[in-house]
Amino acid sequence: MRIGALLSAGLLALSGAPSAAHAQSGGNGVIYMAAYDHSIKVIDENSLEIVDEFETSIGIPIGLTLSADHERIYVRDAEFEEIEIFDVATRRSLDSFTLSRGSSRVRIWGMEVDPAEEFVILNTMRYTKRIDRWEIDEAVLLKYDLQDKRVTDTIPWPEGEGGRRARMMFSPEGEYLYFFSRGNILVLETEGFTEVDRWDLSRPLEEGLGRFSFGFPTSPHDDEGFHTGLFNFTDPVQNRRMMGIARVNLAERDVDFFTLGPSQGVSFRLAPGGRKAYGLVQQIGNYEFWTFDLEGRRVENRQRFAGRPRMSLEISSNGELLYVYNAGSTIDVYDADSYEFIRTVTFDADMTSFVMIPEGTGPRAGG
């Protein structure tokens, strides 16, 4: 911990804001903010003050991935070549690894951590420097053993699939790896990684709808094995893009959905309790908050606000506040019900990534 930096950050965090005693609290979660100064800031959500920070050994941290039990953070560097693993409770580095060797650079474009944390699946591409050129290999799926600290297997791509943008996801118990393709979800068992099932999503959900397009987001506020988010489809009669909200159970191949109207380019974040969700519209000159009533199956509210060209949205752990962050070193805090601006919290470094552990789902700050 760097005491001088923490004191400075604490002063910066309070500048231009009401006192902590009068500030509305978003809950008792812990925020981990990756920053360009090669550090991870540990922020107490109740006060939005930095209470600790730890440095990475791999350079600028660009991505943070939480383990399923929220006890470890997997940090990827800005060059997409190295992974460093930290213990959440102690904030100590447990290990780091890279697959780059000599004149070959292996970039890790995607990573999925086994829920039991015995291995990770890495989506990689090798770039080899020759005298007069770079040779770029095809994307390869690798199984990296976290105990033996080595690659133990190369996993064949499902037929007709592959590429650096491929999406994967483990089932809650880790017995299956879901592979998302354009028209299908392929289910691979995780012993030999052979296909055991396939869910065809190329057909409409019901007669009269266009093809179902869904991102399968993950949220700490969703029930285990469920994925709630926006979906888009094309109205085949009027040839216009429409949107709705779906709750998908991957294991049961079940989709509960409702439509909202024409697609508006709005984002989606599920709120604690699963009864509401919030989103942002980000169009130059038109920045809007949206509130989705999932029980009433409707858009509850929407309102313009003074946004910024690049924004990400997170919801406080008690569901009462909205945090607008990225890019830069600030978090803008708004009331979730009224969209009233509350304050801006400024930190001592620009952020690259941001994850929050809600209260009761992982080690607490200072623990």
Side-chain angles (χ1 to χ4, degrees):
M1 183 192 309
R2 295 176 295 177
I3 302 299
L6 293 182
L7 290 174
S8 173
L11 292 173
L12 284 168
L14 293 174
S15 64
S19 66
H22 296 91
Q24 184 178 347
S25 170
N28 294 311
V30 183
I31 296 169
Y32 291 86
M33 187 183 83
Y36 278 99
D37 64 356
H38 299 197
S39 75
I40 310 291
K41 318 287 184 183
V42 184
I43 301 169
D44 175 52
E45 187 191 12
N46 185 57
S47 62
L48 288 182
E49 295 180 22
I50 297 174
V51 296
D52 200 357
E53 69 177 84
F54 49 93
E55 293 187 0
T56 64
S57 66
I58 59 174
I60 298 173
I62 200 73
L64 304 178
T65 299
L66 287 170
S67 63
D69 58 11
H70 292 178
E71 293 185 358
R72 293 183 179 181
I73 297 179
Y74 291 74
V75 182
R76 185 166 50 176
D77 77 319
E79 299 294 328
F80 294 87
E81 291 185 51
E82 296 187 73
I83 303 293
E84 188 166 12
I85 307 169
F86 288 90
D87 178 76
V88 168
T90 64
R91 286 102 195 216
R92 292 179 180 174
S93 178
L94 301 175
D95 195 14
S96 64
F97 65 87
T98 180
L99 303 181
S100 295
R101 299 288 186 274
S103 61
S104 291
R105 297 284 178 263
V106 178
R107 291 201 159 88
I108 301 168
W109 295 117
M111 177 181 70
E112 289 297 319
V113 182
D114 163 42
E117 292 188 86
E118 295 177 352
F119 62 91
V120 294
I121 302 298
L122 305 174
N123 184 3
T124 67
M125 292 182 71
R126 183 180 299 274
Y127 303 75
T128 304
K129 185 174 178 58
R130 302 301 184 190
I131 294 176
D132 59 343
R133 68 193 186 281
W134 283 91
E135 288 184 354
I136 303 174
D137 296 343
E138 296 291 330
V140 176
L141 284 180
L142 301 175
K143 179 181 178 181
Y144 182 89
D145 190 291
L146 292 170
Q147 280 71 44
D148 293 343
K149 301 181 181 181
R150 63 186 181 92
V151 174
T152 58
D153 203 359
T154 299
I155 302 170
W157 288 105
E159 184 177 354
E161 303 300 335
R164 55 177 282 188
R165 298 188 182 277
R167 289 199 62 232
M168 300 167 288
M169 179 188 299
F170 280 102
S171 63
E173 300 301 322
E175 70 271 37
Y176 299 115
L177 180 67
Y178 295 100
F179 191 95
F180 300 92
S181 67
R182 285 190 173 185
N184 300 286
I185 298 176
L186 311 181
V187 186
L188 311 180
E189 50 81 23
T190 52
E191 290 294 327
F193 294 96
T194 59
E195 183 179 328
V196 296
D197 202 0
R198 182 181 291 247
W199 184 7
D200 183 7
L201 289 180
S202 62
R203 292 177 295 182
L205 291 172
E206 65 179 28
E207 187 176 352
L209 293 183
R211 174 178 160 187
F212 179 65
S213 175
F214 187 72
F216 292 93
T218 57
S219 168
H221 309 306
D222 236 337
D223 293 330
E224 191 174 77
F226 286 81
H227 305 269
T228 304
L230 282 172
F231 72 95
N232 291 277
F233 65 96
T234 299
D235 178 352
V237 176
Q238 300 190 31
N239 193 32
R240 60 176 179 169
R241 292 294 285 171
M242 305 290 288
M243 70 176 183
I245 292 176
R247 189 168 189 259
V248 180
N249 182 341
L250 275 176
E252 300 296 330
R253 292 190 181 187
D254 180 65
V255 182
D256 179 29
F257 71 96
F258 57 93
T259 58
L260 293 170
S263 181
Q264 299 288 317
V266 63
S267 63
F268 183 94
R269 293 293 290 173
L270 188 66
R275 293 184 293 273
K276 286 188 177 184
Y278 297 88
L280 293 176
V281 169
Q282 301 185 54
Q283 300 166 347
I284 300 300
N286 178 33
Y287 305 111
E288 293 182 350
F289 282 123
W290 283 50
T291 302
F292 302 98
D293 175 6
L294 303 187
E295 291 183 318
R297 298 184 168 226
R298 65 191 179 95
V299 176
E300 179 180 297
N301 198 7
R302 56 188 288 192
Q303 181 175 300
R304 286 192 175 189
F305 74 108
R308 45 189 176 182
R310 279 183 56 197
M311 296 183 291
S312 298
L313 177 68
E314 186 56 83
I315 305 166
S316 67
S317 60
N318 64 10
E320 296 180 5
L321 300 179
L322 304 178
Y323 303 135
V324 175
Y325 65 99
N326 271 342
S329 61
T330 62
I331 298 175
D332 295 328
V333 184
Y334 294 83
D335 183 88
D337 288 333
S338 66
Y339 306 141
E340 179 185 358
F341 172 75
I342 296 174
R343 60 172 173 154
T344 294
V345 185
T346 304
F347 300 100
D348 62 340
D350 286 3
M351 66 186 74
T352 66
S353 189
F354 175 112
V355 296
M356 182 166 64
I357 300 180
E359 183 181 18
T361 61
R364 284 284 295 123

